[in-house]
Amino acid sequence: MTDCSVATGRFITVEGGEGAGKSTQVRRLAAWLNGQGVEAVTTREPGGTPGAEAIRALLVTGEPDRWDATTEALLMTAARRDHAVNVIQPALARGAWVLCDRFADSTLAYQGYAGGLPPDGLTALTRFAVGNLAPDLTVVLDLPAAEGLKRAGARAGDRQAAESRFEERTLRFHEAVRDGFLDIARREPARCIVVDATAPVDSVARRIAAAVGERLLTDG
């Protein structure tokens, strides 16, 4: 749950491996919520503020072995702190809903499950940086790692080609990331839903909207 001392809006995160369609589904969900009369702020991690975007450039460019998992986790968390303080918490405090493409679960999946860092340590690091801030709902977009990498490669022309550092990791790494997200969802079913990202985009969007409507819009 979001920290009630600083937040009155709703916080939704969309997670998943490379090529899962997170950015597309964040935009689709925002449009749907706007149609329900809800102010929806869309953002992403790493990034979302000028400072966090500068850190993002360090993380997503360069050779795959540019940083080890510990350095990645520290950089991710520094970006998350700036993002939370300057974007997420202010939006929630005014009653807006925040839709974020990745959050702390990505750190657990990438640097923990795939990178070998202890989950408890990563959870403590996140708590140190952002306190009790946590999603009300997390959507995990799931698809086979090989298919996700294929999709990501096919759309490379639509974004900065240099932002491919994580995509260049081994298939085994990305399979571990996928397993990590699924394990997180199994451990926290009250917060997480898993959506089959191999389905058509419209079908995925309807599934997410239905879950949001059932879990959050009717929450008294």
Side-chain angles (χ1 to χ4, degrees):
M1 295 289 290
T2 48
D3 184 349
C4 294
S5 66
V6 297
T8 57
R10 295 290 195 175
F11 184 25
I12 300 172
T13 56
V14 180
E15 298 279 10
E18 308 302 323
K22 296 177 298 299
S23 299
T24 296
Q25 293 303 329
V26 165
R27 290 193 298 269
R28 294 288 291 268
L29 179 58
W32 182 81
L33 284 170
N34 289 338
Q36 310 303 307
V38 175
E39 179 191 358
V41 174
T42 63
T43 189
R44 70 174 182 177
E45 287 206 351
T49 66
E53 290 290 338
I55 296 173
R56 176 188 178 89
L58 296 174
L59 282 161
V60 301
T61 63
E63 296 300 316
D65 60 355
R66 180 180 188 182
W67 313 111
D68 66 10
T70 299
T71 305
E72 288 175 351
L74 292 169
L75 288 169
M76 293 282 187
T77 304
R80 181 164 300 128
R81 169 68 182 175
D82 191 61
H83 186 212
V85 168
N86 292 297
V87 173
I88 299 174
Q89 289 173 323
L92 294 173
R94 71 169 188 266
W97 290 36
V98 176
L99 315 181
C100 192
D101 177 347
R102 298 197 184 280
F103 192 63
D105 291 320
S106 278
T107 305
L108 280 174
Y110 280 78
Q111 285 73 49
Y113 285 86
L117 298 185
D120 289 349
L122 293 174
T123 299
L125 185 63
T126 297
R127 178 63 64 89
F128 175 74
V130 300
N132 293 327
L133 178 66
D136 295 289
L137 176 67
T138 294
V139 177
V140 176
L141 297 178
D142 178 57
L143 78 168
E147 173 62 21
L149 292 172
K150 180 179 178 181
R151 290 185 184 182
R155 68 164 191 250
D158 298 331
R159 58 175 172 77
Q160 295 182 21
E163 289 196 359
S164 60
R165 178 172 169 266
F166 284 100
E167 292 170 19
E168 292 174 9
R169 298 284 180 86
T170 66
L171 179 59
R172 183 177 180 181
F173 176 90
H174 290 284
E175 288 172 341
V177 168
R178 182 194 186 191
D179 291 343
F181 281 125
L182 292 176
D183 190 54
I184 291 166
R186 282 192 293 267
R187 290 172 181 270
E188 298 189 57
R191 174 174 68 89
C192 301
I193 62 167
V194 177
V195 177
D196 180 5
T198 65
V201 171
D202 288 347
S203 177
V204 173
R206 285 193 297 269
R207 172 74 178 90
I208 294 172
V212 170
E214 177 182 349
R215 293 195 179 207
L216 299 181
L217 283 177
T218 60
D219 185 6

